[in-house]
């Protein structure tokens, strides 16, 4: 096994991976460190990040299911946010470059906000990503995350 020792994580999760340009190398390194775990799940990524991860896995002969959206500045962050809203993402890892202004800051904030609203765990650094991906709660059949109570905004459709 590469990287962290993890639980069995029997559920197939959809994990969103997003990284700004200055953090892409960190994301690829993190993904390779957690390759054994990630290869058992479906990865949805912004375009360039997803291609870099797919290429790194292929070079090591690791099969992984990667769906690439557009690059972040071309709407990829918004596409992943839409998946979050539709409850199609279980975990998001977003390595943000906090030292560089981003032209698509509104999309970045939207993705972060939708993860918070829809109770999707989101890690913005490697340490929190490692903690989240190795959590035993993923395999605990009895664990049911409590949902935020937005009573004022809840609607019956």
């Amino acid at each position: 096994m590469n990287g962290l020792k993890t639980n069995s994580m029997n559920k197939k999760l959809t994990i969103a991976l997003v990284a700004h340009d200055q953090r892409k190398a960190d994301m690829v390194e993190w993904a390779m460190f957690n390759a054994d775990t990630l290869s058992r799940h479906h990865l949805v990524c912004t375009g360039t990040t997803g291609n870099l991860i797919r290429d790194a896995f292929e070079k090591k002969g690791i099969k992984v299911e990667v769906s690439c959206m557009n690059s972040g500045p071309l709407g990829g962050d918004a596409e992943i946010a839409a998946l979050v809203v539709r409850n199609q993402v279980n975990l998001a890892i977003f390595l943000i470059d906090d030292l560089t202004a981003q032209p698509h800051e509104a999309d970045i904030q939207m993705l972060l906000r939708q993860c918070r609203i829809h109770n999707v765990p989101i890690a913005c650094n490697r340490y929190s990503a490692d903690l989240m991906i190795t959590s035993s709660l993923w395999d605990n059949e009895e664990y049911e995350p409590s949902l935020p109570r937005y009573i004022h905004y809840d609607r019956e459709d």
Side-chain angles (χ1 to χ4, degrees):
M1 175 170 157
N2 295 334
L4 292 176
K5 292 189 179 230
T6 61
N7 55 31
S8 60
M9 203 180 297
N10 295 321
K11 297 177 192 172
K12 184 168 185 168
L13 304 175
T14 296
I15 302 171
L17 301 179
V18 181
H20 287 149
D21 289 346
Q22 297 299 318
R23 302 297 311 277
K24 288 188 189 318
D26 290 334
M27 179 62 85
V28 171
E29 186 178 291
W30 179 84
M32 294 307 297
F33 184 74
N34 291 286
D36 185 56
T37 299
L38 293 175
S39 67
R40 296 189 305 261
H41 302 287
H42 174 234
L43 306 181
V44 59
C45 308
T46 47
T48 308
T49 300
N51 287 321
L52 290 169
I53 290 169
R54 183 186 294 129
D55 291 348
F57 276 46
E58 284 177 2
K59 285 180 183 173
K60 295 288 187 179
I62 301 166
K63 292 188 185 252
V64 63
E65 183 184 350
V66 179
S67 297
C68 291
M69 305 289 117
N70 285 302
S71 72
L74 297 178
D77 298 332
E79 288 177 298
I80 291 176
L83 294 174
V84 168
V85 171
R86 292 193 304 265
N87 296 313
Q88 295 176 338
V89 172
N90 303 102
L91 169 64
I93 312 297
F94 191 167
L95 298 185
I96 298 170
D97 176 4
D98 287 308
L99 302 179
T100 304
Q102 302 297 325
H104 60 297
E105 185 65 29
D107 291 349
I108 294 163
Q109 292 305 315
M110 177 182 51
L111 174 54
L112 295 170
R113 181 175 180 271
Q114 292 308 318
C115 285
R116 292 189 307 265
I117 287 173
H118 294 280
N119 212 31
V120 171
I122 184 162
C124 295
N125 60 54
R126 288 182 60 168
Y127 187 38
S128 58
D130 287 336
L131 291 171
M132 287 182 195
I133 200 136
T134 59
S135 174
S136 61
L137 293 177
W138 295 115
D139 277 331
N140 185 337
E141 297 293 328
E142 297 169 11
Y143 177 74
E144 187 69 34
S146 61
L147 297 174
R149 295 186 190 152
Y150 296 109
I151 296 169
H152 180 71
Y153 296 99
D154 283 346
R155 298 182 305 171
E156 301 246 348
D157 292 327

